[in-house]
């Protein structure tokens, strides 16, 4: 095999242990890397110009031109390609039926300073979001409406956990994600143009009757508790999505999508 292509069949191999450790947040932070699995996700990354440092391939996979393209991209960037068994891929991914393609990526930028607020007229902001599925859905919504990015405020779920990355369906590679504490976010926001719009049960103002400026930052609260009163007080506008049934609110990610499409329609 070529120098950047290795066959690994032992569970005790250091490369296996290093890749497996990235399932835990503390190791991801220490190493500055994260895992993504599946040909679709890795192809989305490659098409966005993001190539894994290491590519893990199952020996029993079917030939595919997209896998060939991934291998060529990794080799061109000087990365390592590992061929291994299904059992080892399962150990790395934590799944009984693992994908036959898995990548180890360097961390993506997550600071507010990396964002250009003029990139789009719509931004999503999630406060204390806990569920990786909701985070994934919000990133996919960002991609769908052409939002500038997703800003995670306070202690949110790790956007680079295996579960969150999987839920994004590749949007984590196409949509900027930033993480910040509330105070830092507010200072950044108020340093330039931007309307902060919060969704809340503590208002009677219908979201369909609002005037949305550009750029508009849509603030969605925690799944269980919504926005804290102090955060609502900082919003330029509070709106409510009418509920015609017995439920008092929508799922956080669904509410974000409803709001984003309304803003898109108004700004269009």
């Amino acid at each position: 095999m070529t120098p950047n292509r290795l066959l690994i069949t032992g569970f005790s191999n250091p490369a296996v242990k290093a890749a497996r450790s990235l399932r835990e947040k503390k190791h991801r932070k220490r190493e500055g890397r994260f895992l993504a699995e599946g040909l679709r996700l890795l192809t989305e990354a490659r098409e966005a110009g993001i190539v894994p440092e290491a590519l893990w391939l199952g020996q029993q996979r079917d030939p595919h031109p997209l896998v060939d393209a991934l291998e060529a991209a990794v080799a061109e960037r000087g990365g390592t390609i590992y061929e291994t068994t299904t059992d080892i891929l399962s150990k790395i991914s934590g799944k009984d039926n693992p994908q036959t393609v898995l990548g180890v990526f360097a961390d993506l930028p997550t600071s507010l300073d990396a964002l250009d607020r003029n990139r789009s007229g719509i931004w999503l902001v999630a406060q204390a979001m806990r569920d990786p599925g909701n985070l994934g859905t919000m990133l996919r919504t960002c991609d769908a409406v052409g939002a500038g990015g997703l800003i995670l405020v306070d202690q949110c779920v790790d956007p680079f956990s295996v579960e969150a990355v999987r839920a994004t369906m590749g949007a984590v590679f196409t949509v900027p994600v930033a993480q910040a504490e509330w105070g830092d976010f507010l200072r950044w926001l108020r340093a330039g143009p931007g309307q902060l719009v919060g969704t809340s049960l503590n208002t009677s103002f219908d979201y369909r009757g609002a005037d949305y400026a550009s750029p508009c930052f849509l603030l969605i609260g925690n799944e269980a508790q919504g926005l804290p009163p102090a955060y609502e007080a900082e919003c330029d506008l509070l709106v409510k999505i009418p509920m015609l049934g017995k439920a008092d609110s929508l799922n956080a990610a669904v509410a974000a999508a409803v709001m984003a499409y309304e803003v898109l329609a108004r700004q269009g």
Side-chain angles (χ1 to χ4, degrees):
M1 289 191 171
T2 56
N4 67 331
R5 191 180 190 95
L6 301 171
L7 174 65
I8 291 182
T9 58
F11 286 94
S12 61
N13 187 285
V16 174
K17 292 181 178 180
R20 183 180 181 277
S21 74
L22 298 179
R23 285 165 47 194
E24 298 183 35
K25 185 175 181 178
K26 64 179 181 180
H27 294 301
R28 288 194 297 274
K29 282 190 167 295
R30 183 191 67 202
E31 299 298 329
R33 292 171 176 79
F34 67 98
L35 291 173
E37 57 176 328
L39 182 57
R40 177 175 176 175
L41 262 70
L42 269 66
T43 297
E44 291 277 1
R46 178 181 62 79
E47 291 178 347
I50 302 170
V51 176
E53 295 180 341
L55 181 66
W56 291 80
L57 302 173
Q59 290 177 293
Q60 303 304 316
R61 69 190 184 280
D62 294 327
H64 199 291
L66 291 179
V67 176
D68 295 340
L70 272 172
E71 291 188 56
V74 172
E76 183 181 353
R77 298 282 183 90
T80 303
I81 300 168
Y82 297 105
E83 287 196 35
T84 193
T85 65
T86 299
D87 287 343
I88 288 178
L89 285 177
S90 179
K91 185 178 182 68
I92 294 173
S93 69
K95 295 173 61 179
D96 292 334
N97 297 302
Q99 301 276 354
T100 57
V101 182
L102 186 149
V104 175
F105 290 84
D107 275 352
L108 302 174
T110 59
S111 71
L112 292 172
D113 291 338
L115 301 180
D116 175 8
R117 74 177 69 211
N118 297 315
R119 185 173 188 261
S120 172
I122 306 173
W123 294 76
L124 295 187
V125 185
Q127 187 266 331
M129 178 163 286
R130 297 285 188 256
D131 184 80
N134 281 338
L135 184 146
T137 300
M138 288 186 73
L139 270 177
R140 291 163 66 185
T141 297
C142 283
D143 185 78
V145 302
L150 173 64
I151 301 173
L152 303 176
V153 171
D154 298 338
Q155 295 301 308
C156 288
V157 61
D158 184 356
F160 301 112
S161 70
V162 174
E163 297 80 10
V165 170
R166 185 185 302 135
T168 72
M169 298 293 287
V172 72
F173 297 111
T174 61
V175 178
V177 181
Q179 297 172 278
E181 293 301 317
W182 174 247
D184 293 331
F185 165 69
L186 270 184
R187 282 188 288 274
W188 175 84
L189 178 68
R190 300 310 183 192
Q195 178 193 41
L196 185 61
V197 178
T199 54
S200 173
L201 298 177
N202 301 318
T203 182
S204 58
F205 196 65
D206 193 307
Y207 80 108
R208 293 166 295 189
D211 291 325
Y212 299 110
S214 178
C216 178
F217 291 81
L218 296 173
L219 177 61
I220 308 297
N222 171 268
E223 294 96 334
Q225 300 172 339
L227 290 173
Y231 290 39
E232 290 186 350
E234 294 287 351
C235 291
D236 301 308
L237 178 66
L238 286 178
V239 296
K240 184 175 183 179
I241 299 173
M243 305 297 295
L244 303 183
K246 292 184 177 180
D248 63 0
S249 64
L250 291 172
N251 165 274
V254 173
V258 171
M259 288 294 304
Y261 273 100
E262 182 66 15
V263 173
L264 181 66
R266 294 299 187 89
Q267 291 181 345

